[in-house]
Amino acid sequence: MDEKDTNENVELEETQASLDDAFLAVEIIKKALEFRPLIKEGILGDKFLSLPREARINEMLTRRISFFFVDEERKVPSLFFRFVGESSPIIEAFFYPIEAVLSFLDEARHIVKSFLDKTEKEKEDLAFTHTLDMTLLLFDNFYRRTEITMDYVTVEVIGQWHRNKQQEWLHYESERGNKLTLQRDRRLDNFLNAYRKDIGNFWKYQGQTRENWRKMLLAEEYVELYKHWSWLLKMSNDESINWRDYAKNEKHKDTPDDLLNKLLDVDRSTDETTSNKISEIAIEHAARRVGIIKKSGVSEYAQNKRREGIKVSDYSSQQLFYFLKEGKEVKQKVEENEKMAAQIETEDSFEQISQSALEKKRKSLEQKIKFIQEKAEKQLEQKAKSAQSKNP
């Protein structure tokens, strides 16, 4: 076989591998959609045009995340997004995620290739799973993440316009020999800093990471466990009751013995000191219940306890209460995103808007469309009259 034949075979193999990966990417997209049943097939093309006028207006005013097929055989699904402002649509976008999924697949394969204890088949299966995870992250966050960018595009243009005008003014004045004090216009810099901060906060609070999930659970568990430990403290005041027998009831079988011992040392001199100590015990109990543990710089005491099966957090109470605060913030963000997703994903989500608000938005959009149509017709008439006057 000569060098030309060898090169052609290599090219054919690379092409086939590329096609195989593209097919695999499609399968991953389909699997991701199976995990997200609220993402339904979109009302697009002929389906949209066949709607009555009022229904088309309603659809145009409805935020959407939906899928569509790019081929007649309905084998290759892609995504459709509609972003809606206060009174009109902002952007309708078709998103073909195959390139993104192929990038996810490359990253996943790079991760698993070092797993020497896995067969090639096991590595490929694991790469599929990792790629699916990344694809779901994309599906779950694309709308809100893109919306952040869109919110800033307008103000960034304004900021850049001011910067351009400042440069034009400086050039104009300098040409005339005028002495100038240069002060940088900070508008665009401020917008970009706010943009970066909002993106950082978005990913911080997107609620998909296990640590964020644990912090959110910490916020939920702490409230109930604080009541549990307060109740045990009151029981411990009664010497006729063996309160330890009640400490591990059906709901609280995981009550740790070392924390029960600490209950005996609670400072009861004032209500405040007592409450603070109970809070510290409850937050540590909650951390153990949800699996929050320090992973680096762990004390020898904590290491020994963990070897015994006692998963002490090894965090200070102050740090755990900071996690508690973050958990509440995560919970709030998740609830906001779920509310947004419900509005976006529900097929008849426009009905969730009050009829008066919907009617107002519909009229506003119809007025804009009518105004633009009339304006365009007048311009065409004026051009026609102008052409006639030039050619009598």
Side-chain angles (χ1 to χ4, degrees):
M1 184 180 293
D2 59 24
E3 184 178 349
K4 180 181 178 182
D5 291 336
T6 302
N7 291 336
E8 287 179 352
N9 286 338
V10 170
E11 289 179 4
L12 285 172
E13 288 176 2
E14 290 177 348
T15 300
Q16 185 59 48
S18 178
L19 291 173
D20 289 343
D21 282 352
F23 177 77
L24 184 59
V26 170
E27 293 304 305
I28 291 169
I29 294 168
K30 288 180 178 179
K31 180 61 67 174
L33 287 171
E34 289 179 16
F35 280 101
R36 296 296 182 265
L38 287 176
I39 301 179
K40 302 181 184 300
E41 188 169 357
I43 303 173
L44 303 168
D46 293 339
K47 285 184 180 179
F48 177 79
L49 294 175
S50 65
L51 294 174
R53 177 179 173 79
E54 185 173 316
R56 287 204 304 272
I57 295 294
N58 284 341
E59 178 61 26
M60 291 173 67
L61 292 171
T62 302
R63 297 178 176 187
R64 282 282 185 235
I65 300 176
S66 55
F67 70 87
F68 67 100
F69 293 99
V70 300
D71 59 326
E72 294 181 358
E73 292 79 15
R74 298 173 67 83
K75 292 180 179 179
V76 183
S78 287
L79 297 176
F80 170 78
F81 295 87
R82 181 185 294 116
F83 301 85
V84 179
E86 290 297 321
S87 60
S88 62
I90 299 174
I91 289 178
E92 291 183 343
F94 295 97
F95 176 47
Y96 305 89
I98 289 181
E99 290 295 331
V101 175
L102 287 173
S103 295
F104 299 156
L105 185 60
D106 285 343
E107 179 67 17
R109 284 173 173 164
H110 177 73
I111 292 168
V112 304
K113 71 178 182 180
S114 60
F115 295 175
L116 301 179
D117 59 331
K118 304 288 186 183
T119 66
E120 290 304 314
K121 173 66 166 57
E122 289 172 336
K123 288 180 183 179
E124 193 64 13
D125 289 344
L126 196 54
F128 184 98
T129 300
H130 290 340
T131 305
L132 177 60
D133 286 344
M134 286 185 263
T135 304
L136 289 171
L137 273 172
L138 175 69
F139 284 11
D140 291 344
N141 295 287
F142 184 88
Y143 191 100
R144 291 290 299 121
R145 173 61 185 83
T146 304
E147 200 168 41
I148 292 173
T149 297
M150 288 164 47
D151 287 343
Y152 276 93
V153 167
T154 303
V155 294
E156 286 172 28
V157 169
I158 292 172
Q160 185 61 46
W161 181 86
H162 279 286
R163 182 175 287 183
N164 292 346
K165 287 301 176 184
Q166 183 189 54
Q167 291 300 318
E168 291 175 11
W169 175 76
L170 288 172
H171 186 85
Y172 178 83
E173 294 295 329
S174 295
E175 279 186 332
R176 282 150 185 76
N178 296 329
K179 185 178 181 179
L180 302 170
T181 302
L182 180 61
Q183 290 185 338
R184 182 179 175 85
D185 191 306
R186 306 295 302 181
R187 288 182 182 87
L188 183 58
D189 293 330
N190 292 337
F191 292 146
L192 293 176
N193 287 336
Y195 177 54
R196 284 189 286 269
K197 183 178 179 181
D198 281 352
I199 291 174
N201 284 335
F202 169 77
W203 287 114
K204 179 179 179 181
Y205 294 120
Q206 52 90 19
Q208 299 295 332
T209 67
R210 289 188 178 183
E211 289 305 310
N212 275 345
W213 183 254
R214 289 189 179 106
K215 289 173 184 177
M216 188 168 68
L217 291 178
L218 180 73
E220 295 175 357
E221 294 289 350
Y222 170 74
V223 176
E224 194 275 327
L225 287 175
Y226 180 82
K227 295 177 182 178
H228 171 63
W229 285 98
S230 298
W231 174 69
L232 287 178
L233 182 70
K234 291 178 181 179
M235 289 190 68
S236 67
N237 292 327
D238 191 342
E239 296 181 356
S240 65
I241 299 175
N242 188 352
W243 54 274
R244 286 180 179 268
D245 292 341
Y246 294 91
K248 299 189 180 185
N249 56 36
E250 188 67 27
K251 194 175 181 180
H252 303 94
K253 289 181 178 180
D254 65 335
T255 300
D257 290 325
D258 61 319
L259 295 185
L260 285 173
N261 293 333
K262 285 187 176 183
L263 195 66
L264 299 173
D265 300 326
V266 170
D267 184 350
R268 310 186 188 205
S269 57
T270 67
D271 290 342
E272 183 178 358
T273 57
T274 303
S275 177
N276 288 342
K277 192 63 180 178
I278 291 298
S279 295
E280 292 175 5
I281 294 174
I283 195 69
E284 172 64 22
H285 187 180
R288 296 185 193 183
R289 177 175 281 187
V290 302
I292 291 179
I293 58 171
K294 186 186 287 187
K295 300 175 185 64
S296 61
V298 181
S299 68
E300 187 176 347
Y301 167 81
Q303 288 176 337
N304 290 333
K305 286 294 183 182
R306 290 176 188 177
R307 291 188 189 106
E308 296 172 8
I310 303 172
K311 296 181 175 60
V312 297
S313 73
D314 205 36
Y315 284 115
S316 66
S317 299
Q318 182 180 9
Q319 183 62 59
L320 288 176
F321 278 111
Y322 181 76
F323 290 156
L324 178 72
K325 177 177 176 291
E326 287 188 319
K328 291 178 180 178
E329 291 172 345
V330 169
K331 190 173 188 297
Q332 181 181 355
K333 292 291 183 180
V334 169
E335 289 173 349
E336 289 174 359
N337 288 343
E338 286 177 348
K339 185 177 180 181
M340 174 72 73
Q343 183 182 3
I344 294 169
E345 294 169 347
T346 302
E347 194 67 29
D348 297 319
S349 59
F350 64 85
E351 293 180 358
Q352 298 174 10
I353 308 170
S354 69
Q355 287 302 312
S356 59
L358 180 61
E359 185 65 25
K360 183 178 179 181
K361 293 178 74 173
R362 185 190 298 123
K363 285 183 177 179
S364 175
L365 182 58
E366 286 180 332
Q367 287 172 353
K368 290 175 183 176
I369 294 173
K370 184 178 180 181
F371 175 79
I372 292 169
Q373 289 174 336
E374 290 177 350
K375 194 77 173 178
E377 288 174 1
K378 287 181 180 179
Q379 289 176 346
L380 289 173
E381 290 176 1
Q382 289 173 354
K383 286 181 180 179
K385 289 179 180 178
S386 176
Q388 288 176 356
S389 62
K390 290 180 182 179
N391 301 292

